[in-house]
Amino acid sequence: MKDSLSNEHQRFARALSIVARVDTVLAPASFAELATALRELVGPCDLAITRSDAPGAFRVLASTRGEGDTLIPYRTLLASGRKIYDSLYVRRVPYVAKDLEAGSELEKATARHGFGAAAAFPIIESEQAPVVGALVAAFRDSESVDSPAVGHLEEFAKTLGASVARGLREGQKERALRILEASGDALVAWDADGRITDVNRALESLVGAARHELVGRSIRELFGVVPTAQVGGQRLRLLSRDSRRLTVAATVSSGTGDPLVAGHAMLRDMSDVVAAEQDAADRLAQLHEVTEQHMVLLDNAPLLIFRIDPESHEVLYLNRHAEHLFGVPATHALSTPGFLRDAHVDQEGSIAFEEAVVVAKLGQVMPPYEARLRREGGDTIVARGTIYPIMNEAGRVVGVEGILLDVTNERAVRSRLLQADRLATVGLLAAGVAHEINNPAAFMLLGLDLLARTLSSRGSLPAQAEQLLVDLRDTGRRIVDIARDLRTFASPVTGNKKALVDVSRSIESALTITRAQIVEKADVEKSVEEDLPMVAIEEGRLGQVLVNLLVNAAQSVAESKRSRGERGIDVVRIDAFTEGKDVVIVVQDTGQGIRPELLDRIFVPFYTTKQAGLGTGLGLAITKTLVEGAGGTISVASPSKLAGGTTGAAFTIRLPRAVAPEETPPPNPVLVMTRARTAVLIVDDEVLLGRLLCEEFSKHHEAVHVSSAEEALQLLASGTISVEVVFCDLKMPSMGGEEFYRAVEAQYPRLANRFVFMTGVGFAPELGQFLAQVKAPLLEKPFALEVALDLVAEVQQR
């Protein structure tokens, strides 16, 4: 008995010596040696050391079995019952289980390996320290847990605390070192002298130097300074092997209790971040520059661009062009509630603006509208407005923007084009009317001449009859003059081709056209200097200028009469005279005049002081353009000097006198016209005129009249008359004069230079080119018979 106890003590002592000799029993070799010794002491069993990471969970730290035949896999985490945890870790007493199948996962795993009972003993480092683990023993025989072996294991577990705790701490350090070595952040430590004492691999990679090259060097070589601890992170410049300074984010801490670690720092390479920040800063600068350029572009664009808050209708943005458009600072417009709405002069414009904003708030766009806008201290302008919504990705309206475009000049151009189109239409109508008037007028005047000669050949005429013939001829010529004047005034603009214009004749033409409008309202007075020089201006434009001014004077007089109840005698007067190198024309009236503050604005397109329907505001603007295009000037004064200078206005036109070309003697002596009898063909669709002309020609020549070009061609083809001279009207139905000439030129070339053309109206530029090309004489109806007979002689001699 005594020997048996002695052996047990020896085996127990041997096991204790192993614990005392090894650094930690958790090392696999040490635990295997210890397990062998314990089995000699307590008999066959499997041993393990476990630790609870959390209530109900156990991790195996050491085990007696090898890989693949482990009672519980090494360092695995298995669930265990609360009962085990409370026994070992709370009450710190052994736990014995004889029915493993009814136990926890740990116990069931033990039963599956053929064990019938198990016991677990707390391992305590000291009485005050918590339980650091448990010594677990599994027995094949459940009765073994009642043997003295359980007591031996319980006592032995009390000796393992320091060794297990040391092993846990070493493992903790090892894991920490592995974590630090594997960390992507660089770590460096230095002592009180500023010498590097340790680094991790991340720092070696960052600096480009091995650990043995860095340890012992001054920390200043890396950073230029000794880093100091600061609240929060900081950025430092780290010197790499290739002499580049890397920007790193550093967390610096002071060390205590370790002479080798006076300070340590965790570093993270910020080069990519710094590059990204610099790239972002560059992009931001570029974006700012582009934004500034866009703002300059928007401010200088000839558009008013604005943004409105869709809820409050407050103006959030106005470009600088608003200052030019409205004549007020943009800040004033932004700070004035309802500024854009109130800037619309007409109620229709304000309503259109409000409707466009409401529609834009609903996510839609109204068609552009036009309205007049008010300017500070200036004329109103015409603007075209477009208002549209700004949508976010969700389709919600987040803003309302708009553009106002100044279209005043565009409207002026459109109106001028409309006016030009109307003038062109009037010109076409006037040409047609003149043609229809001049043809019968030519017959009438030729008939009157024939009647006068016939009556004179039969004896003396009574004075009354003779005077009647004179009056009839004068009346006929007056009709012709009116048609010619209307044609000249309404002729379309042909460019800047100037001609020498008779000022006296233009005044007479303008008075002829406007007399009916003036005589009902005022007396007409005229004073024109004799032998006025010619002026160079596009043909018909001076007449248009004078008609505009005379019509304005008549309307001004009418307005004056209405204002004073038809009392008083009004006058419209036109004067023309030379002054130095200029021809001066003054048109003045005794009408209502022009207010002084409006004198500078009356030549502006669309500005008018007349009642609605009496003017477009373009007449004086066009007049000024025409006069200045001829190198002249036009000015206005009100009141005028007429009628005591109390009312009315005076418009003064100054045009440079034209220099007459020097006359050169004709290269050939004047031919004496001899009227030899010849055959004359008259082609004119005006039957009465043609017949009368034929009768008069027949007294001197063989004359034939046909009323169409087609009949003339048939006559020439028949050969019944040998035609020597052709009198042909330019304007005829079906085939005109030019087409007839081309047909004759092709079929009867000898007659090509024997044409005399007649017209009752002005002709288009292409007909003028035709006449210049064929070099044929032109007779404008009505004409004197003697002139026509002379042309027959001229063609004969040519």
Side-chain angles (χ1 to χ4, degrees), residues 429-431 433-435 437-438 441 474-490 505 508-516 547 760 781-782:
L429 293 174
V433 170
H435 182 270
I437 290 175
N438 284 339
D474 290 343
T475 302
R477 292 192 181 95
R478 184 180 173 193
I479 293 173
V480 173
D481 289 343
I482 291 173
R484 184 180 293 117
D485 293 338
L486 180 62
R487 181 190 67 196
T488 302
F489 167 71
R505 179 73 185 122
E508 288 296 334
S509 297
L511 286 173
T512 300
I513 293 172
T514 60
R515 193 178 305 276
V547 167
K781 302 175 183 177

Side-chain angles (χ1 to χ4, degrees), residues 187-191 194-200 203-204 207 209-219 221-222 260:
L187 301 172
V188 60
W190 59 90
D191 60 15
R195 296 287 176 181
I196 297 174
T197 56
D198 209 350
V199 298
N200 69 342
L203 186 79
E204 292 178 328
V207 176
R211 182 178 183 277
H212 68 273
E213 296 177 284
L214 294 172
V215 173
R217 290 171 57 183
S218 172
I219 195 70
E221 294 183 32
L222 295 184
L260 296 180

Side-chain angles (χ1 to χ4, degrees), residues 633-693:
T633 62
I634 182 170
S635 59
V636 61
S638 183
S640 69
K641 297 179 181 180
L642 199 62
T646 56
T647 59
F651 288 85
T652 302
I653 298 171
R654 291 181 176 273
L655 291 169
R657 60 195 300 178
V659 178
E662 295 183 2
E663 294 186 1
T664 57
N668 298 317
V670 178
L671 295 174
V672 178
M673 296 300 178
T674 59
R675 296 179 180 176
R677 194 170 182 85
T678 187
V680 180
L681 174 61
I682 302 169
V683 187
D684 197 326
D685 62 316
E686 191 68 29
V687 178
L688 293 178
L689 177 60
R691 287 178 181 174
L692 181 57
L693 193 59

